[in-house]
């Protein structure tokens, strides 16, 4: 800009007959255009870059949502009349016998030794290959089980004993059931967040399953069991001590050749909110009930 002003002053000093006014204007306009041109490029380049990035993100966002939209209806809990058992699934088609009719992320306990019940034509079910696959809204897929369907044990037309791997994340998952690679039925479930845990202790009940305002018996699993009893404190999200109780050691078990100890005690969640536990001096993260 300084060079342009200097040149403009020099033009003014020229003899009047050297250039007409309109000719001077053309020269100045040309010089100004050349000087401003790089600046326009400088400012417009980032602008168009941002517009391009937004367009790509917009496309990816809506493409991803469309690709991973779950199409099945939510599963329901229904009772098997011949044995008074509750299962989750699609009544008259498919049912899963699982503890409390609920899965918890990262938990291998509830997924072990499940019963899968099928209703339909036994001729197209019994002795056929089955596959159970899970998918969430982010497109993450997990193969839950595969094998051969057996005769029904009771009123169902076919069944299978299965072991599901842990669901890697909480949230909505669609379970699809295939027989001989053909979709038999599907439904969605809400997988709860992982159990609250510390380095050596894990709560075996989901906070979402605990009744509000009632004394509830809880179990805590531990990989160390030197103590007959452990101190458990309930802390609210402001750091206030709401309850303190003693859990007693109940039993000893094994998982993958590792000793597992169970402690039992009572806790009362007086309201819905965010909480944490301090178990034998070890602190869990915040969890919601």
């Amino acid at each position: 800009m300084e060079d342009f002003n200097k040149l403009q002053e020099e033009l003014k000093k020229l003899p009047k007959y050297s250039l007409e006014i309109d000719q001077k204007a053309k020269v100045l306009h040309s010089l100004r255009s050349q000087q401003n041109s790089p600046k326009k490029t400088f400012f417009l380049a980032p602008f168009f870059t941002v517009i391009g990035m937004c367009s790509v993100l917009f496309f990816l966002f809506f493409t991803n949502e469309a690709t991973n939209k779950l199409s099945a209806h939510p599963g329901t809990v229904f009772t098997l009349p011949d044995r008074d058992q509750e299962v989750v699934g699609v009544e008259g088609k498919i049912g899963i016998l699982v503890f409390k009719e609920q899965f918890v992320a990262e938990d291998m306990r509830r997924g072990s030794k499940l019963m899968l019940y099928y209703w339909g034509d036994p001729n197209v079910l019994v002795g056929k290959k089955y596959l159970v696959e899970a998918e969430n809204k982010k497109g993450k897929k997990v193969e839950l089980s595969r094998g051969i369907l057996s005769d029904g044990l009771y009123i169902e037309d076919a069944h299978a004993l299965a072991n599901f791997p842990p669901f890697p994340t909480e949230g909505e998952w669609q379970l699809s059931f295939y027989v001989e690679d053909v979709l038999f039925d599907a439904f969605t479930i809400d997988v709860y967040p992982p159990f609250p845990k510390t380095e050596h202790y894990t709560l075996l009940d989901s906070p979402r399953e605990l009744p509000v305002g009632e004394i509830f018996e809880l179990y805590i699993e531990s990989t160390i069991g030197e103590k007959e009893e452990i101190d458990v404190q309930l802390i609210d999200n402001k750091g206030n001590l709401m309850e303190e109780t003693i859990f007693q050691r109940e039993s000893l078990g094994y998982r993958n050749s590792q000793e597992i100890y169970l402690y039992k005690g009572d806790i009362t969640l007086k309201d819905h909110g965010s909480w944490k536990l301090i178990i034998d001096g070890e602190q869990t993260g915040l969890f919601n009930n």
Side-chain angles (χ1 to χ4, degrees):
M1 187 67 182
E2 183 179 350
D3 292 338
F4 173 78
N5 292 334
K6 185 177 180 180
L7 183 58
Q8 189 176 31
E9 291 298 322
E10 292 295 325
L11 286 172
K12 289 179 180 179
K13 296 178 182 179
L14 291 174
K16 292 183 179 180
Y17 55 81
S18 62
L19 285 174
E20 298 294 337
I21 294 177
D22 60 335
Q23 290 176 318
K24 288 182 181 180
K26 289 180 180 179
V27 171
L28 291 173
H29 176 74
S30 177
L31 291 171
R32 184 181 289 111
S33 298
Q34 292 178 14
Q35 194 170 37
N36 290 340
S37 181
K39 291 185 178 180
K40 288 182 180 179
T41 304
F42 176 79
F43 286 109
L44 287 177
F47 174 77
F48 285 116
T49 301
V50 171
I51 292 297
M53 291 175 63
C54 290
S55 300
V56 172
L57 291 174
F58 182 86
F59 173 79
L60 291 175
F61 175 79
F62 282 98
T63 302
N64 188 56
E65 286 295 311
T67 302
N68 301 316
K69 183 178 180 181
L70 305 181
S71 58
H73 294 293
T76 59
V77 176
F78 57 96
T79 302
L80 302 178
D82 59 328
R83 70 206 86 165
D84 196 29
Q85 287 181 338
E86 288 190 329
V87 296
V88 60
V90 180
E91 191 167 4
K93 289 295 295 291
I94 192 77
I96 303 177
L97 179 62
V98 58
F99 183 68
K100 294 187 177 181
E101 300 79 51
Q102 183 63 55
F103 290 96
V104 178
E106 301 178 6
D107 174 53
M108 64 178 63
R109 304 164 191 80
R110 299 195 185 190
S112 63
K113 296 182 180 179
L114 299 171
M115 293 299 294
L116 306 179
Y117 298 123
Y118 291 72
W119 287 268
D121 184 351
N123 295 322
V124 299
L125 292 173
V126 178
K128 306 300 183 181
K129 294 184 297 182
Y130 80 88
L131 168 68
V132 184
E133 187 177 71
E135 181 179 9
N136 66 4
K137 288 184 175 181
K138 295 182 179 180
K140 173 70 175 179
K141 291 186 178 182
V142 178
E143 182 180 302
L144 298 178
S145 181
R146 66 166 63 234
I148 303 295
L149 291 174
S150 302
D151 290 312
L153 296 174
Y154 300 96
I155 62 171
E156 74 277 2
D157 297 300
H159 87 284
L161 178 63
N163 291 287
F164 284 4
F167 286 86
T169 58
E170 63 185 274
E172 188 178 13
W173 287 79
Q174 178 169 305
L175 307 187
S176 299
F177 298 79
Y178 297 88
V179 176
E180 294 293 331
D181 299 324
V182 177
L183 181 64
F184 180 73
D185 215 320
F187 60 88
T188 62
I189 59 172
D190 180 25
V191 176
Y192 283 170
F195 292 125
K197 62 182 178 180
T198 69
E199 181 181 359
H200 297 106
Y201 298 95
T202 302
L203 189 67
L204 294 187
D205 294 273
S206 171
R208 294 191 183 181
E209 297 171 328
L210 306 185
V212 173
E214 300 178 19
I215 297 176
F216 195 80
E217 186 176 80
L218 298 176
Y219 284 90
I220 292 176
E221 182 182 86
S222 175
T223 55
I224 55 176
E226 295 87 355
K227 299 180 179 180
E228 293 288 337
E229 57 185 35
I230 56 174
D231 180 73
V232 178
Q233 299 176 357
L234 177 65
I235 310 295
D236 68 11
N237 61 350
K238 296 180 180 179
N240 300 314
L241 175 63
M242 304 303 294
E243 185 178 349
E244 186 169 12
T245 185
I246 298 297
F247 276 53
Q248 301 287 338
R249 191 175 67 189
E250 283 286 303
S251 61
L252 167 66
Y254 293 89
R255 184 186 303 122
N256 299 326
S257 301
Q258 183 182 24
E259 292 182 341
I260 300 296
Y261 300 87
L262 284 182
Y263 290 86
K264 183 176 72 173
D266 298 330
I267 279 184
T268 303
L269 295 177
K270 295 183 179 180
D271 202 353
H272 291 286
S274 297
W275 315 87
K276 62 183 175 182
L277 295 173
I278 298 179
I279 307 172
D280 194 27
E282 299 181 8
Q283 184 172 288
T284 70
L286 279 175
F287 57 85
N288 297 317
N289 66 326

